[in-house]
Amino acid sequence: MAKTVIVGAGTIGLLSAYELRRRGRDVVVLDKGNPGEGASLGNAGWITPSLSGPVPAPGLVGQSIKWMLRPDSPLYIRPGAVPRMLGWLLAFWRFSNERAYRAGLAATAELGRSILADFDALKANGLDFEMHSAGLLFVFKDQKVMDQIHAEMEELAEYGFGEPVRYSAGETIDLEPIIKPGIAGSVWMPKERHIRPETLNKAAVEWLRKNGAEIRTGVEVTGLVLEQKRVRGVRTKDGVVEAEQVLIATGAQAGTLGREAGVRLPMQAGKGYSITVQKPKKKPGRPLYLKEARVAVTPFRDALRVAGTMELSGINLDLDPRRVRAIKNSAHRYMHDWEQGEKAIEWVGMRPMLPDGLPAIGRLGQYENLFVAAGHAMLGITLGPTTAAVIARLMNGEPVDVNLKPFDPGRFK
């Protein structure tokens, strides 16, 4: 069997390994940490095709400049990081316009048409993970924002994401008593789902090991072995791992390996934070998106996770207590007593993000057997199984029925 080396054991890397192993590939996954410990670990776990829009959006330039001075804002750009990130930020702001946003939304929505079926296929093929089909409830304090989002959700119905359902303030509180008075109302997207991301990663690891794939932890990849138009393997601190194919799925660090292959992948980390309350006394019956605060609330079987914020401060895992405090304060403005429980775990992770907000999926540069699937920003869980299926088909020489041009890794020449 041909050996395929996958660099990165996050959700994208693990599910890509699963898809390739199902196709008979001899798969080796390399990661310097443990599987699923990066951005995949503490995120909200949403499967939300209706939130397919890229992060750079119309009006974000002026808003982000205002927010930059507030460490508790939903999008925080650390002033000290601006000089070394200036080129990336300028590109990010250039993509924050109506035309680019609409094009990115359409491309991602088209890629995600099979999202729910792809998650069902994981279950059918033996991956045992926690998944719920309770929809997603957008909660609003501002009537104008509610009207705008409702109209956007109606537009997305053409992609098969379901028709939005509007609720008044009273109906919303009747539906979810944890919500405080003072809201304008809500919009429910009934087809959305959510998972406990840790359980998906664990299930993928168990399936891979049971089915003959190899997962090597504590392996730091330092470079690529390139000859003419082929990659021959990857360099690690312990030597070279030879390969017939290589897939880079390292998230925020993918840019370094991309440069070695002669491809500019301007990857940055959009840091996210979460608080997970173990065995909470109160939790909603479905995920809530506290829209104006941009905070995600996810109920699991035995936990409640409150997540949010986008922090641009370079690639680092520094946990800023001000960001955690901001999430808590925002959640308290919308919900009663949500912090009551046995234990609260604070987490920070790096969401890999390219300046246009779209992932890089495809062949890398001139190398016929070198591929990348990285940069999914806030859609790593949502697009995980679909991205894995698409990249596996591409790497296996099978037809790909999705337009991958918007996700071309070489688009940042």
Side-chain angles (χ1 to χ4, degrees):
M1 291 186 288
K3 180 185 285 187
T4 298
V5 172
I6 298 176
V7 184
T11 299
I12 301 294
L14 291 171
L15 293 182
S16 298
Y18 155 82
E19 289 287 352
L20 288 160
R21 184 69 190 128
R22 286 202 317 123
R23 288 164 168 79
R25 292 280 173 176
D26 183 8
V27 176
V28 179
V29 183
L30 309 177
D31 200 291
K32 63 182 179 181
N34 292 319
E37 278 193 346
S40 309
L41 181 63
N43 63 53
W46 287 1
I47 306 169
T48 51
S50 66
L51 288 175
S52 297
V55 176
L60 190 62
V61 177
Q63 188 65 69
S64 62
I65 291 173
K66 293 177 184 176
W67 279 340
M68 188 166 65
L69 302 176
R70 288 178 44 203
D72 62 343
S73 62
L75 172 61
Y76 176 53
I77 304 172
R78 187 178 293 176
V82 169
R84 66 178 183 273
M85 293 179 60
L86 186 57
W88 189 94
L89 286 170
L90 290 173
F92 177 76
W93 284 329
R94 279 198 298 271
F95 283 106
S96 299
N97 63 74
E98 185 72 24
R99 183 189 60 79
Y101 178 81
R102 288 289 174 183
L105 174 61
T108 309
E110 186 63 37
L111 174 65
R113 279 186 183 271
S114 65
I115 285 170
L116 301 182
D118 289 338
F119 271 96
D120 289 337
L122 293 179
K123 285 277 191 180
N125 289 328
L127 271 69
D128 183 17
F129 57 94
E130 181 181 341
M131 181 165 66
H132 305 270
S133 302
L136 172 65
L137 190 69
F138 292 72
V139 183
F140 303 89
K141 285 186 172 288
D142 188 310
Q143 184 68 45
K144 289 183 179 179
V145 176
M146 179 175 167
D147 293 341
Q148 175 190 341
I149 296 300
H150 182 257
E152 290 178 5
M153 296 301 107
E154 285 186 317
E155 288 182 25
L156 286 172
E158 66 179 90
Y159 292 99
F161 299 158
E163 293 287 345
V165 180
R166 289 183 69 135
Y167 293 113
S168 68
E171 291 169 333
T172 302
I173 294 171
D174 287 342
L175 186 67
E176 294 291 358
I178 197 172
I179 297 173
K180 291 180 176 179
I183 61 168
S186 63
V187 173
W188 182 46
M189 294 298 291
K191 286 195 173 184
E192 312 293 73
R193 302 184 190 176
H194 68 282
I195 65 167
R196 184 83 185 251
E198 305 97 307
T199 67
L200 175 61
N201 297 330
K202 181 181 177 183
V205 169
E206 290 175 351
W207 188 97
L208 288 167
R209 287 178 170 154
K210 181 180 178 181
N211 287 275
E214 185 179 359
I215 301 174
R216 301 184 193 174
T217 60
V219 178
E220 186 171 350
V221 173
T222 59
L224 303 170
V225 181
L226 303 170
E227 294 180 11
Q228 296 180 342
K229 292 188 177 182
R230 291 187 64 81
V231 58
R232 301 296 181 184
V234 298
R235 291 189 180 88
T236 77
K237 288 190 172 182
D238 301 315
V240 172
V241 180
E242 295 182 353
E244 290 294 323
Q245 289 180 314
V246 172
L247 171 64
I248 299 170
T250 55
Q253 291 82 21
T256 303
L257 295 176
R259 280 197 302 273
E260 192 166 344
V263 178
R264 182 171 177 262
L265 279 177
M267 198 76 72
Q268 272 296 341
K271 285 169 61 178
Y273 293 77
S274 70
I275 305 103
T276 302
V277 181
Q278 306 285 14
K279 297 185 178 178
K281 292 184 178 180
K282 292 184 179 181
K283 62 180 180 178
R286 73 212 73 230
L288 310 177
Y289 188 24
L290 313 181
K291 186 62 178 75
E292 291 84 359
R294 290 171 171 80
V295 167
V297 181
T298 311
F300 299 128
R301 286 175 188 154
D302 59 355
L304 178 67
R305 180 164 294 161
V306 178
T309 84
M310 175 69 73
E311 178 185 320
L312 299 174
S313 59
I315 297 176
N316 65 80
L317 282 172
D318 300 337
L319 191 150
D320 186 339
R322 296 174 299 179
R323 308 295 289 154
V324 175
R325 193 160 54 246
I327 295 174
K328 290 180 178 181
N329 291 341
S330 294
H332 282 301
R333 286 197 290 271
Y334 287 80
M335 297 188 299
H336 296 283
D337 307 323
W338 64 269
E339 275 194 280
Q340 295 181 8
E342 283 191 1
K343 181 182 179 183
I345 301 170
E346 298 176 355
W347 173 88
V348 61
M350 295 186 294
R351 306 184 191 104
M353 188 164 65
L354 291 157
D356 62 355
L358 302 180
I361 304 171
R363 186 174 281 106
L364 198 56
Q366 63 177 336
Y367 301 97
E368 58 191 31
N369 61 337
L370 178 60
F371 301 83
V372 64
H376 287 71
M378 301 170 76
L379 294 173
I381 293 296
T382 295
L383 293 176
T386 303
T387 296
V390 167
I391 200 68
R393 289 198 290 269
L394 188 64
M395 294 174 71
N396 211 42
E398 302 170 23
V400 176
D401 57 358
V402 175
N403 178 19
L404 291 180
K405 187 175 180 180
F407 312 105
D408 180 6
R411 66 188 185 270
F412 298 103
K413 293 179 181 177

